[in-house]
Amino acid sequence: MKSKATRLIAIACFTVISLAVLRFKPWERSNNNSSDNNMATADNVIHEGGNKKATRELTVGFLPVTCHLTCPVTDFASKNTTTNTNFNSRLFTDFPTVVSAMEAKQIQATFMIVPLAMKLREQGVPVQICYLGHRDGSEIVVAKNGPIRSLKDLKGKKLALPSFFSNQNFVIHKLMEDYGMKKDDITFIILPPPDMPTSLAAGAIDAYFVGEPFCAKAELDGTGRILYYSRDIWPNFISCALVVHEDLIKSNPDVVKDLVSGIAASGLWAENNRASAAKLVAPYFHQNEKVLNYVLTSSPERVKYISLNPTDEDLQSIEDMGIKLGFLKKQIPINELVNRSFIPKEIKPAAINIADNIDSK
């Protein structure tokens, strides 16, 4: 009897370990102990292009959301044009991991939700906002056939956010205030954006507020519908920005200049070549091109890659809201938070020809 119980315990342990291995897929993770943490590993480099003139390279972090889309576009462009810097995009799935990588200086540039960058600065991590990801592009999603028709219907329900330090969190609290709701009327939980559509479909949450394409995915899967567009709550909504460590700005400003110029050029290209942008970034995002195409082409108002120079008013309103809600503790001068010195005076679209280069991935 004892040996039988021992065998059952051993089988149970083996099962748990096997499921954990399958869930976290350690064989797919990059090596964080590399001697040069700015160099991308083979897993991080999606395109190996023909740019033989680049004399340096930099790894830039991103999540598979459309407000980070210009990161992989810049990666692609740097390897297929004659820029002086190769940019290798590194995929993350959640913001806590991005923060850890920045704090450890495993990466020195990344896309990040703006209030989180403010929080890092407040905590003494010397980062600066150098450009925006895009405008709008976030929605509140509820179950397609569910009873929720307004924010008040979410009272007593569970809503997922990408982070408490996200503009999505700030904006929904503002909306709750407008509706006369209390802070604890909705239960907020934090989920990685890729997990939100499946959690809604499974009934584990009642709603979520996040950036695209995870709103469109629920729509196209037939499991979700848009309750509110961010642009209807906060016109020209900002979610994420390009955030750069001051050590990199001081030690290698030419690389930062190349990066910001590349991001700006990629944004203008994406704005004018939406279907091509969806095709380009699909392998970087590990997502269905159809979903990305729907986000980028169904309406030009859904996401916008123009007016990406952050204004003082933009950032001050976010900081004020964060302090009011208690997520930020003190005012930090805007000139310490933002560095606009690398934004080119004239922005031209990136010279990308998808027909010639997309098959080089």
Side-chain angles (χ1 to χ4, degrees):
M1 184 66 114
K2 184 176 180 181
S3 61
K4 183 178 180 180
T6 302
R7 283 199 303 273
L8 289 173
I9 292 170
I11 291 170
C13 290
F14 177 79
T15 301
V16 170
I17 292 169
S18 298
L19 289 172
V21 170
L22 290 172
R23 169 67 177 88
F24 293 103
K25 300 178 182 179
W27 58 85
E28 293 182 355
R29 297 196 175 197
S30 59
N31 179 9
N32 288 335
N33 295 321
S34 169
S35 59
D36 184 353
N37 287 323
N38 279 328
M39 302 289 283
T41 68
D43 288 340
N44 294 328
V45 179
I46 306 298
H47 290 277
E48 298 276 4
N51 180 6
K52 304 301 182 185
K53 295 189 176 182
T55 59
R56 57 207 179 199
E57 67 176 357
L58 178 74
T59 297
V60 185
F62 78 103
L63 268 68
V65 288
T66 54
C67 48
H68 299 192
L69 177 141
T70 52
C71 181
V73 173
T74 303
D75 173 316
F76 184 95
S78 75
K79 293 174 176 61
N80 291 281
T81 59
T82 54
T83 55
N84 195 36
T85 310
N86 273 339
F87 294 108
N88 301 315
S89 54
R90 177 178 170 184
L91 178 66
F92 292 84
T93 58
D94 61 73
F95 286 109
T97 311
V98 173
V99 169
S100 296
M102 280 292 280
E103 288 178 328
K105 293 176 67 175
Q106 294 170 355
I107 55 173
Q108 290 186 283
T110 188
F111 279 81
M112 179 183 292
I113 40 183
V114 169
L116 190 54
M118 292 176 171
K119 189 65 178 179
L120 285 178
R121 185 87 198 187
E122 179 186 284
Q123 294 175 338
V125 182
V127 296
Q128 289 190 309
I129 293 167
C130 292
Y131 207 58
L132 297 181
H134 70 22
R135 298 276 184 170
D136 302 321
S138 289
E139 285 86 49
I140 298 175
V141 181
V142 297
K144 181 178 180 179
N145 299 317
I148 298 170
R149 302 292 168 183
S150 73
L151 192 73
K152 285 195 171 182
D153 293 333
L154 281 169
K155 186 173 182 178
K157 306 294 186 182
K158 289 183 287 187
L159 184 145
L161 296 164
S163 169
F164 286 125
F165 297 102
S166 66
N167 271 352
Q168 286 86 356
N169 186 32
F170 290 9
V171 167
I172 197 165
H173 275 88
K174 177 185 182 301
L175 191 61
M176 290 172 68
E177 187 178 272
D178 293 344
Y179 272 76
M181 297 176 69
K182 299 176 182 178
K183 289 183 178 180
D184 58 358
D185 280 346
I186 298 174
T187 299
F188 295 101
I189 62 173
I190 303 304
L191 282 179
D195 293 346
M196 292 184 183
T198 52
S199 296
L200 180 71
I205 57 175
D206 301 290
Y208 60 87
F209 191 6
V210 77
E212 293 285 11
F214 299 108
C215 308
K217 180 167 177 28
E219 283 187 283
L220 294 179
D221 287 346
T223 58
R225 57 180 166 81
I226 306 300
L227 184 66
Y228 295 102
Y229 289 92
S230 58
R231 65 175 183 265
D232 295 331
I233 307 169
W234 180 358
N236 290 317
F237 176 81
I238 295 170
S239 177
C240 294
L242 174 66
V243 177
V244 182
H245 201 289
E246 279 189 2
D247 286 359
L248 181 64
I249 291 173
K250 293 174 182 176
S251 66
N252 218 327
D254 288 343
V255 169
V256 180
K257 182 180 179 181
D258 270 1
L259 174 60
V260 177
S261 295
I263 294 296
S266 294
L268 188 55
W269 176 84
E271 178 71 20
N272 297 321
N273 298 272
R274 289 170 173 260
S276 294
K279 183 179 181 67
L280 190 156
V281 303
Y284 287 90
F285 280 20
H286 302 300
Q287 290 173 2
N288 190 327
E289 181 188 330
K290 178 182 176 182
V291 177
L292 291 162
N293 187 277
Y294 175 74
V295 173
L296 294 175
T297 65
S298 61
S299 168
E301 297 301 312
R302 191 154 185 157
V303 296
K304 298 194 290 286
Y305 293 95
I306 53 177
S307 301
L308 302 184
N309 184 345
T311 68
D312 284 5
E313 291 76 17
D314 285 330
L315 299 177
Q316 192 63 63
S317 63
I318 294 169
E319 186 175 61
D320 290 346
M321 201 179 305
I323 290 173
K324 181 179 179 180
L325 293 170
F327 291 102
L328 300 175
K329 302 300 181 185
K330 62 180 181 180
Q331 290 279 353
I332 296 175
I334 298 302
N335 63 357
E336 293 181 16
L337 287 169
V338 66
N339 187 330
R340 301 186 185 90
S341 64
F342 299 105
I343 300 174
K345 292 181 179 178
E346 182 181 2
I347 300 173
K348 296 181 179 180
I352 296 174
N353 187 333
I354 291 296
D356 291 342
N357 294 326
I358 193 66
D359 292 331
S360 69
K361 67 179 176 62

